[in-house]
Amino acid sequence: MGTDWSEMQPLLSQACWDTLYMVGWSTLIAVVGGLPLGILLVLTDRGGLLQNVVANKVIGQVVNIARSMPFIILMVALMSFTRWITGTTIGREAAIVPLAVGAIPFFARLVETAVREVDGGLVEAVQAMGGNTWTVVRKVLVPEALPSLISSTTTTVVALIGYSAMAGTVGAGGLGDIAIRYGYQRFETQLMWITVVILAVVISAIQFAGDLAARSLHRRGGHSGPAPRLRLLKAREPGAATEPATAAAEAGKAL
Protein backbone atom coordinates (compact mmCIF):
# COMPACT_ATOMS: atom_id res chain seq x y z
CA MET A 1 0.00 0.00 0.00
CA GLY A 2 1.36 3.43 -0.93
CA THR A 3 2.16 6.16 1.51
CA ASP A 4 -0.27 9.09 1.33
CA TRP A 5 0.85 12.73 1.26
CA SER A 6 -0.02 13.37 4.92
CA GLU A 7 2.59 10.76 5.84
CA MET A 8 5.08 11.86 3.20
CA GLN A 9 5.16 15.55 4.07
CA PRO A 10 6.63 15.39 7.60
CA LEU A 11 9.14 12.76 6.46
CA LEU A 12 10.28 14.86 3.52
CA SER A 13 10.37 18.09 5.54
CA GLN A 14 12.59 16.56 8.20
CA ALA A 15 14.75 14.87 5.57
CA CYS A 16 15.26 18.18 3.73
CA TRP A 17 16.27 19.91 6.94
CA ASP A 18 18.66 17.08 7.85
CA THR A 19 20.30 17.24 4.41
CA LEU A 20 20.72 21.02 4.55
CA TYR A 21 22.06 20.76 8.11
CA MET A 22 24.68 18.17 7.16
CA VAL A 23 25.71 19.93 3.96
CA GLY A 24 25.79 23.38 5.58
CA TRP A 25 28.09 22.42 8.43
CA SER A 26 30.33 20.22 6.31
CA THR A 27 30.67 23.02 3.73
CA LEU A 28 31.66 25.49 6.42
CA ILE A 29 34.30 23.11 7.78
CA ALA A 30 35.52 22.34 4.25
CA VAL A 31 35.96 26.04 3.46
CA VAL A 32 37.71 26.77 6.75
CA GLY A 33 40.06 23.82 6.29
CA GLY A 34 40.41 23.75 2.51
CA LEU A 35 41.01 27.44 1.83
CA PRO A 36 44.31 27.74 3.76
CA LEU A 37 45.36 24.29 2.56
CA GLY A 38 44.84 25.25 -1.08
CA ILE A 39 46.67 28.56 -0.65
CA LEU A 40 49.51 26.73 1.11
CA LEU A 41 49.84 24.38 -1.87
CA VAL A 42 50.42 27.42 -4.09
CA LEU A 43 52.75 29.26 -1.72
CA THR A 44 55.00 26.24 -1.09
CA ASP A 45 55.27 25.25 -4.75
CA ARG A 46 58.33 26.01 -6.89
CA GLY A 47 58.61 29.76 -7.29
CA GLY A 48 56.06 30.35 -4.53
CA LEU A 49 56.42 32.91 -1.78
CA LEU A 50 57.07 30.14 0.77
CA GLN A 51 58.80 27.72 -1.57
CA ASN A 52 59.32 24.37 0.12
CA VAL A 53 59.28 21.50 -2.33
CA VAL A 54 59.30 18.79 0.34
CA ALA A 55 56.37 20.28 2.25
CA ASN A 56 54.49 20.83 -1.00
CA LYS A 57 54.96 17.23 -2.09
CA VAL A 58 53.87 15.88 1.30
CA ILE A 59 50.76 18.08 1.47
CA GLY A 60 49.91 17.34 -2.15
CA GLN A 61 50.25 13.59 -1.62
CA VAL A 62 48.02 13.65 1.47
CA VAL A 63 45.39 15.62 -0.46
CA ASN A 64 45.58 13.22 -3.41
CA ILE A 65 45.17 10.15 -1.20
CA ALA A 66 42.20 11.67 0.61
CA ARG A 67 40.57 12.67 -2.68
CA SER A 68 41.05 9.25 -4.24
CA MET A 69 39.22 7.39 -1.47
CA PRO A 70 35.57 6.54 -2.32
CA PHE A 71 33.21 8.24 0.11
CA ILE A 72 31.50 5.05 1.26
CA ILE A 73 34.91 3.60 2.21
CA LEU A 74 35.90 6.87 3.88
CA MET A 75 32.79 6.70 6.08
CA VAL A 76 33.69 3.21 7.24
CA ALA A 77 37.36 4.06 7.75
CA LEU A 78 36.48 7.08 9.89
CA MET A 79 33.94 5.36 12.13
CA SER A 80 36.23 5.25 15.16
CA PHE A 81 37.21 8.88 14.66
CA THR A 82 33.56 9.85 14.14
CA ARG A 83 32.54 8.07 17.35
CA TRP A 84 35.34 9.85 19.21
CA ILE A 85 34.20 13.25 17.90
CA THR A 86 30.42 12.89 18.13
CA GLY A 87 29.90 9.90 20.42
CA THR A 88 28.01 7.99 17.71
CA THR A 89 28.33 6.76 14.14
CA ILE A 90 24.65 7.18 13.25
CA GLY A 91 22.69 10.35 12.54
CA ARG A 92 23.28 13.69 10.89
CA GLU A 93 25.94 14.91 13.37
CA ALA A 94 27.97 11.76 12.77
CA ALA A 95 27.65 12.18 9.00
CA ILE A 96 29.19 15.66 9.15
CA VAL A 97 32.60 14.21 10.10
CA PRO A 98 33.23 12.09 6.98
CA LEU A 99 31.49 14.66 4.80
CA ALA A 100 33.84 17.41 6.00
CA VAL A 101 36.94 15.21 5.88
CA GLY A 102 36.11 14.17 2.32
CA ALA A 103 35.32 17.73 1.22
CA ILE A 104 38.43 19.47 2.61
CA PRO A 105 40.94 18.00 0.11
CA PHE A 106 38.39 18.34 -2.70
CA PHE A 107 37.90 22.04 -1.98
CA ALA A 108 41.64 22.56 -1.41
CA ARG A 109 42.43 21.47 -4.97
CA LEU A 110 39.76 23.80 -6.33
CA VAL A 111 41.23 26.65 -4.28
CA GLU A 112 44.71 25.84 -5.58
CA THR A 113 43.48 26.05 -9.17
CA ALA A 114 41.66 29.34 -8.53
CA VAL A 115 44.63 30.99 -6.80
CA ARG A 116 47.08 29.93 -9.53
CA GLU A 117 45.02 31.96 -12.01
CA VAL A 118 45.76 35.23 -10.20
CA ASP A 119 47.98 37.62 -12.17
CA GLY A 120 51.55 37.29 -10.90
CA GLY A 121 52.16 40.96 -11.67
CA LEU A 122 49.83 41.98 -8.85
CA VAL A 123 51.80 39.83 -6.42
CA GLU A 124 55.04 41.43 -7.58
CA ALA A 125 53.51 44.89 -7.19
CA VAL A 126 52.58 44.25 -3.55
CA GLN A 127 56.04 42.79 -2.84
CA ALA A 128 57.66 45.83 -4.46
CA MET A 129 55.66 48.00 -2.06
CA GLY A 130 57.04 46.05 0.91
CA GLY A 131 54.10 43.71 1.42
CA ASN A 132 54.79 40.42 3.18
CA THR A 133 53.28 37.02 2.39
CA TRP A 134 50.22 37.60 4.56
CA THR A 135 49.59 40.92 2.80
CA VAL A 136 49.85 39.25 -0.60
CA VAL A 137 47.36 36.58 0.43
CA ARG A 138 44.93 39.04 2.00
CA LYS A 139 45.19 41.87 -0.53
CA VAL A 140 45.72 40.00 -3.80
CA LEU A 141 45.33 36.23 -3.88
CA VAL A 142 42.00 35.87 -2.08
CA PRO A 143 40.26 39.01 -3.47
CA GLU A 144 41.37 38.36 -7.04
CA ALA A 145 40.41 34.67 -6.90
CA LEU A 146 37.07 35.35 -5.18
CA PRO A 147 34.78 34.70 -8.19
CA SER A 148 36.51 31.36 -8.80
CA LEU A 149 36.39 30.58 -5.08
CA ILE A 150 32.63 31.17 -5.09
CA SER A 151 32.29 28.77 -8.03
CA SER A 152 34.50 26.27 -6.20
CA THR A 153 32.31 26.50 -3.11
CA THR A 154 29.22 25.91 -5.24
CA THR A 155 30.82 22.82 -6.78
CA THR A 156 31.71 21.56 -3.30
CA VAL A 157 28.16 22.06 -2.01
CA VAL A 158 26.71 20.15 -4.96
CA ALA A 159 29.19 17.31 -4.38
CA LEU A 160 28.35 17.23 -0.67
CA ILE A 161 24.64 16.90 -1.41
CA GLY A 162 25.46 13.78 -3.39
CA TYR A 163 27.69 12.51 -0.59
CA SER A 164 24.96 13.19 1.99
CA ALA A 165 22.52 11.10 -0.01
CA MET A 166 25.08 8.29 0.04
CA ALA A 167 25.52 8.76 3.78
CA GLY A 168 21.80 8.08 4.15
CA THR A 169 22.48 4.44 3.27
CA VAL A 170 24.20 3.97 6.64
CA GLY A 171 21.62 5.74 8.78
CA ALA A 172 22.83 9.33 8.51
CA GLY A 173 19.34 10.65 7.81
CA GLY A 174 18.39 13.12 5.13
CA LEU A 175 16.86 12.60 1.71
CA GLY A 176 19.14 9.68 0.90
CA ASP A 177 17.91 7.84 3.96
CA ILE A 178 14.28 8.41 2.96
CA ALA A 179 14.95 7.20 -0.59
CA ILE A 180 16.61 4.01 0.67
CA ARG A 181 14.35 3.13 3.62
CA TYR A 182 11.02 4.00 2.05
CA GLY A 183 11.61 4.24 -1.67
CA TYR A 184 13.78 1.14 -2.09
CA GLN A 185 13.30 -1.16 0.90
CA ARG A 186 9.52 -0.58 1.16
CA PHE A 187 8.96 -0.24 -2.57
CA GLU A 188 7.48 3.26 -2.23
CA THR A 189 8.48 4.28 -5.74
CA GLN A 190 6.53 7.53 -5.63
CA LEU A 191 8.35 8.71 -2.51
CA MET A 192 11.71 7.78 -3.99
CA TRP A 193 11.07 9.83 -7.12
CA ILE A 194 9.87 12.78 -5.03
CA THR A 195 13.21 12.76 -3.19
CA VAL A 196 15.01 12.69 -6.55
CA VAL A 197 13.02 15.72 -7.73
CA ILE A 198 13.69 17.59 -4.47
CA LEU A 199 17.43 16.91 -4.76
CA ALA A 200 17.42 18.10 -8.38
CA VAL A 201 15.59 21.31 -7.44
CA VAL A 202 17.89 22.02 -4.49
CA ILE A 203 21.02 21.43 -6.55
CA SER A 204 19.72 23.60 -9.40
CA ALA A 205 18.90 26.43 -6.99
CA ILE A 206 22.33 26.27 -5.35
CA GLN A 207 24.09 26.15 -8.73
CA PHE A 208 22.07 29.13 -9.97
CA ALA A 209 22.82 31.17 -6.85
CA GLY A 210 26.52 30.32 -7.01
CA ASP A 211 26.79 31.16 -10.71
CA LEU A 212 24.92 34.43 -10.15
CA ALA A 213 27.26 35.45 -7.32
CA ALA A 214 30.36 34.55 -9.34
CA ARG A 215 29.15 36.49 -12.40
CA SER A 216 28.33 39.47 -10.23
CA LEU A 217 31.85 39.49 -8.80
CA HIS A 218 33.34 39.13 -12.27
CA ARG A 219 31.39 42.16 -13.46
CA ARG A 220 32.70 44.13 -10.50
CA GLY A 221 36.23 42.98 -11.26
CA GLY A 222 36.40 40.12 -8.76
CA HIS A 223 37.48 42.32 -5.86
CA SER A 224 36.26 45.00 -3.52
CA GLY A 225 39.09 47.35 -2.74
CA PRO A 226 42.84 47.31 -3.25
CA ALA A 227 43.08 45.39 -6.51
CA PRO A 228 41.87 48.26 -8.75
CA ARG A 229 44.58 50.47 -7.26
CA LEU A 230 47.15 47.71 -7.79
CA ARG A 231 46.14 47.41 -11.42
CA LEU A 232 46.38 51.16 -11.83
CA LEU A 233 49.83 51.13 -10.25
CA LYS A 234 50.90 48.23 -12.42
CA ALA A 235 49.71 50.04 -15.55
CA ARG A 236 51.72 53.08 -14.55
CA GLU A 237 54.95 51.22 -13.82
CA PRO A 238 56.52 51.91 -17.26
CA GLY A 239 55.98 55.62 -16.73
CA ALA A 240 56.45 55.66 -13.00
CA ALA A 241 59.34 58.11 -13.26
CA THR A 242 57.03 60.76 -14.61
CA GLU A 243 54.45 60.33 -11.86
CA PRO A 244 56.32 59.37 -8.68
CA ALA A 245 54.01 61.18 -6.33
CA THR A 246 50.92 59.59 -7.79
CA ALA A 247 52.49 56.13 -7.73
CA ALA A 248 53.51 56.54 -4.10
CA ALA A 249 50.03 57.69 -3.19
CA GLU A 250 48.49 54.67 -4.93
CA ALA A 251 50.93 52.36 -3.17
CA GLY A 252 50.01 53.80 0.21
CA LYS A 253 46.31 53.40 -0.49
CA ALA A 254 46.73 49.80 -1.68
CA LEU A 255 48.49 48.80 1.52
Side-chain angles (χ1 to χ4, degrees):
M1 184 175 67
T3 304
D4 61 35
W5 179 246
S6 63
E7 295 174 327
M8 287 183 187
Q9 190 172 14
L11 287 173
L12 291 171
S13 297
Q14 184 61 45
C16 287
W17 167 246
D18 288 344
T19 296
L20 293 175
Y21 180 88
M22 290 186 290
V23 171
W25 276 107
S26 53
T27 299
L28 178 61
I29 297 170
V31 171
V32 171
L35 181 61
L37 189 60
I39 293 174
L40 192 61
L41 283 168
V42 176
L43 295 179
T44 58
D45 202 2
R46 295 184 186 276
L49 299 179
L50 300 175
Q51 179 175 315
N52 188 320
V53 178
V54 174
N56 184 267
K57 293 296 183 183
V58 170
I59 297 171
Q61 197 61 35
V62 170
V63 169
N64 289 339
I65 292 172
R67 286 184 62 202
S68 65
M69 190 175 296
F71 181 69
I72 192 72
I73 296 176
L74 182 66
M75 282 195 300
V76 175
L78 290 176
M79 277 187 174
S80 297
F81 180 67
T82 300
R83 185 180 290 108
W84 180 67
I85 294 290
T86 65
T88 182
T89 57
I90 298 175
R92 63 185 191 182
E93 282 77 16
I96 291 172
V97 177
L99 284 171
V101 171
I104 286 174
F106 178 80
F107 184 67
R109 282 301 186 189
L110 295 177
V111 170
E112 180 188 10
T113 302
V115 172
R116 287 190 188 281
E117 295 174 353
V118 174
D119 184 2
L122 297 177
V123 175
E124 293 173 2
V126 172
Q127 287 181 303
M129 290 183 274
N132 56 22
T133 301
W134 169 243
T135 303
V136 170
V137 171
R138 187 167 57 92
K139 294 286 189 178
V140 178
L141 296 184
V142 172
E144 287 294 309
L146 194 55
S148 295
L149 292 177
I150 294 295
S151 297
S152 299
T153 303
T154 303
T155 301
T156 303
V157 172
V158 172
L160 281 171
I161 291 175
Y163 290 163
S164 71
M166 196 184 305
T169 63
V170 292
L175 291 168
D177 182 46
I178 293 296
I180 293 297
R181 284 197 296 127
Y182 292 89
Y184 177 73
Q185 294 177 350
R186 301 186 185 183
F187 302 102
E188 297 286 353
T189 306
Q190 181 184 9
L191 186 57
M192 183 174 67
W193 282 109
I194 289 175
T195 60
V196 171
V197 171
I198 291 174
L199 285 170
V201 170
V202 170
I203 288 174
S204 296
I206 291 172
Q207 189 67 58
F208 175 78
D211 291 345
L212 185 64
R215 285 196 301 269
S216 176
L217 285 171
H218 270 301
R219 285 196 296 268
R220 292 167 50 190
H223 40 70
S224 57
R229 301 189 185 101
L230 290 175
R231 284 201 180 93
L232 181 60
L233 179 59
K234 183 184 175 185
R236 289 178 175 176
E237 280 177 350
T242 61
E243 295 183 286
T246 304
E250 294 295 345
K253 290 177 182 177
L255 293 176

